[in-house]
């Protein structure tokens, strides 16, 4: 059985990148342990105005602490913090972007949530997604699973007795028929409604949990599309380019899929600010191409 370390060696990762991916992936253990004592809301909001769950705050502080102590990272941009955290002493040039706990409205109902992370090696957390050196997410489902790409395909590992071992990969996203869309239907734009109707006519099967990372994981494996669209009142949508779209988009593209705002490949957009929001459509290549035709 190939371990995560063995895979990263075979993919030609530097020892620093391997150490960083290893360190982040192992934070799944304490985060999982923390679920039981962090079931409430914290009474605070993040910069996007979302209510923060206690586990959002706990995971953010926990991962930030581990990264700062490692001395491996010079910039950390987190969905749960208004400002980028800097460590001028770090000499490696890694910048980490993260959503420490995505899908946090599902914590109290014990549905699948996860941690999304992107790694740049240019000391700049506000880079476009295409410049990512690596992207990964840990899913806290029945198993703890790590999906990772270092720009050489996508691989999935499962955590067993403290070691990540290969479960699947290289993963190729098929042209499947799953779809899920966020936002209230009454607020959808005409073009978005047209796109969803076309999918439904084609035999699309609805799957939407409210956890982007978990919803994306099934699109990665089965194919289809996850959307959080622009709405009539919020043209920029809800989700964030830096913490959510870029790492997931990088993984989607590495698996043969695409990510778009309806018109442009999101991986080519330079973030204007840490909490830059964007409409998101991510999934199978053919469906995203159809979407872009409809949205034109
Ligand atoms: P979070 O990072 O605070 O959890 O917010 C992002 C989440 C996504 O995981 C999910 O797809 C979306 O927000 C769900 O929003 P809604 O409840 O409006 O459908
Ligand atoms: Mg999120």
């Amino acid at each position: 059985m190939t371990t995560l370390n063995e895979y990263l060696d075979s993919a030609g990762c530097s020892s620093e990148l391997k150490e960083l991916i290893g360190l982040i992936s192992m934070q799944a253990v304490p985060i999982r342990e923390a679920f039981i004592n962090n079931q409430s809301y914290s009474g605070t909001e993040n910069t996007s105005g979302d209510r923060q769950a206690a586990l959002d705050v706990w995971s953010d502080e926990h991962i930030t602490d581990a990264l700062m102590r490692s001395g491996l990272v010079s910039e950390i941009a987190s969905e749960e913090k208004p400002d980028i955290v800097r460590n001028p002493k770090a000499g490696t040039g890694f910048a980490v972007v993260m959503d420490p706990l995505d899908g946090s409205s599902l914590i109290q109902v014990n549905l699948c949530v996860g941690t999304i992370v992107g790694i740049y090696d240019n000391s700049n957390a506000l880079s476009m997604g295409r410049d990512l050196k690596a992207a990964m997410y840990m899913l806290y489902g029945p198993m703890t699973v790590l999906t990772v790409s270092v720009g050489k395909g996508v691989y999935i590992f499962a955590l067993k007795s403290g070691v990540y071992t290969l479960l699947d990969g290289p993963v190729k996203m098929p042209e499947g028929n799953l779809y899920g869309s966020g936002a209230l239907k009454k607020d959808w734009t005409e073009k978005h409604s047209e796109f969803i109707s076309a999918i439904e006519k084609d035999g699309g099967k609805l799957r939407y949990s409210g956890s982007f990372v978990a919803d994306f994981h099934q699109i990665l494996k089965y194919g289809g599309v996850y959307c959080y669209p622009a709405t009539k009142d919020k043209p920029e949508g809800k989700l964030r380019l830096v913490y959510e779209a870029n790492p997931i988009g990088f993984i989607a593209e590495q698996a043969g899929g695409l990510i778009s705002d309806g018109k442009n490949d999101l991986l080519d957009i330079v973030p204007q600010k840490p909490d830059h929001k964007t409409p998101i459509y991510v999934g199978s290549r053919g469906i995203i191409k159809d979407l872009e035709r409809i949205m034109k």
Side-chain angles (χ1 to χ4, degrees), residues 6 37 43 46 62 73 93 97 119 133 136 145 148 162 175 207 217 238 252 266 273 287 295:
E6 286 166 351
N37 291 323
N46 65 16
H62 181 80
V73 176
V97 294
I119 300 173
K133 184 79 187 160
M136 58 199 277
V145 157
V148 64
E175 287 293 330
R207 291 278 174 87
H217 195 64
K238 172 184 178 185
L266 284 181
K273 51 182 182 171
I287 298 181
M295 290 287 177

Side-chain angles (χ1 to χ4, degrees), residues 205-240:
K205 188 171 171 183
L206 177 62
R207 291 278 174 87
Y208 185 81
S209 76
S211 165
F212 175 39
V213 66
D215 287 335
F216 171 74
H217 195 64
Q218 57 177 338
I219 299 291
L220 175 69
K221 294 277 295 182
Y222 299 147
V225 63
Y226 168 95
C227 344
Y228 209 108
T231 55
K232 289 174 195 154
D233 54 334
K234 288 188 184 148
E236 73 288 0
K238 172 184 178 185
L239 300 185
R240 279 107 336 194

